[in-house]
Amino acid sequence: MPTLLGCSVAHIHARFKGERFRRVHPACVRVASNFCGKLHPVDWLVGRLQMSGFSDAVRVIEPGQTYVGKQGFTYGAGVSKETAGAKQVCLNVLPMPPGARAKVHYHKGIETIAYLLEGECAVYYGDKLEHRVAVKAEDQVYMPADVPHAPCNESGAPCKWLVVHSSGSDQDGIVLLPELDAMLSQRSSATA
């Protein structure tokens, strides 16, 4: 018989049968099962959200939607304010072909976390792009708010990122820095 943290699904269903919380999904009652049949406040809240219609806000974003960002790339659209009504977080996919480089930018007041799914990539950052980190598959990069940066695929092979921002859209708060683009282009051509 299936169990959730040692409590049978049948027991969980019986526990909530006939109560106003019966619409709580069995996976949401796992905390309650640890409290010897007492309804835990977290589960009560989940039940209230489901009964009040907030469960209608859940969205699945299927692959295939794309958009061109100010940073100069075609992104795979993920969860965002545009696709799911997100307000404080977004996640998108950034495929980068060999030799691709983002326009130098920063996100005003917005933090970024980027996870490199596959490949290798360099990220230049700093007020004058004076810093460079080499990133390999499965590495994560944290970029604080307001820090100029530009990922550059110098590896000769494609790479792919998952990018998360602390805003509903990755296009919120973007400030492009064309003067640093020129500096990075000069630096790249000098080392080529």
Side-chain angles (χ1 to χ4, degrees):
M1 173 173 285
T3 64
L4 293 172
L5 298 175
C7 188
S8 75
V9 173
H11 172 77
I12 292 169
H13 282 289
R15 167 73 181 101
F16 291 100
K17 188 175 181 180
E19 295 183 24
R20 63 184 264 194
F21 302 106
R22 68 180 178 275
R23 292 179 59 193
V24 176
H25 188 276
C28 299
V29 298
R30 64 183 174 271
V31 177
S33 68
N34 285 342
F35 288 90
C36 302
K38 294 180 182 174
L39 186 63
H40 190 269
V42 171
D43 300 304
W44 177 83
L45 176 60
V46 171
R48 295 284 298 171
L49 290 176
Q50 287 186 345
M51 287 188 292
S52 63
F54 285 115
S55 62
D56 294 339
V58 172
R59 298 283 183 266
V60 173
I61 310 305
E62 295 182 1
Q65 300 178 51
T66 61
Y67 66 95
V68 177
K70 296 173 192 172
Q71 304 94 317
F73 288 113
T74 299
Y75 290 82
V79 174
S80 66
K81 92 173 123 187
E82 294 84 4
T83 61
K87 294 176 178 55
Q88 297 177 4
V89 67
C90 67
L91 178 140
N92 294 293
V93 179
L94 171 57
M96 293 179 68
R101 182 176 73 221
K103 294 178 182 177
V104 180
H105 64 283
Y106 67 89
H107 303 266
K108 186 165 182 57
I110 298 169
E111 296 172 301
T112 302
I113 298 171
Y115 176 83
L116 191 59
L117 287 167
E118 56 190 50
E120 297 177 3
C121 194
V123 178
Y124 291 88
Y125 67 98
D127 291 333
K128 301 288 182 200
L129 301 179
E130 65 273 21
H131 304 286
R132 179 187 182 275
V133 292
V135 184
K136 62 187 182 319
E138 298 187 9
D139 285 348
Q140 298 178 43
V141 177
Y142 167 72
M143 191 64 59
D146 307 318
V147 174
H149 60 280
C152 301
N153 186 352
E154 301 169 342
S155 73
C159 69
K160 186 185 293 185
W161 295 91
L162 279 181
V163 185
V164 176
H165 293 96
S166 63
S167 177
S169 172
D170 78 319
Q171 299 300 294
D172 288 344
I174 289 181
V175 177
L176 297 175
L177 302 166
E179 66 280 3
L180 292 182
D181 276 324
M183 182 185 301
L184 190 55
S185 291
Q186 290 174 350
R187 189 182 305 162
S188 295
S189 63
T191 59

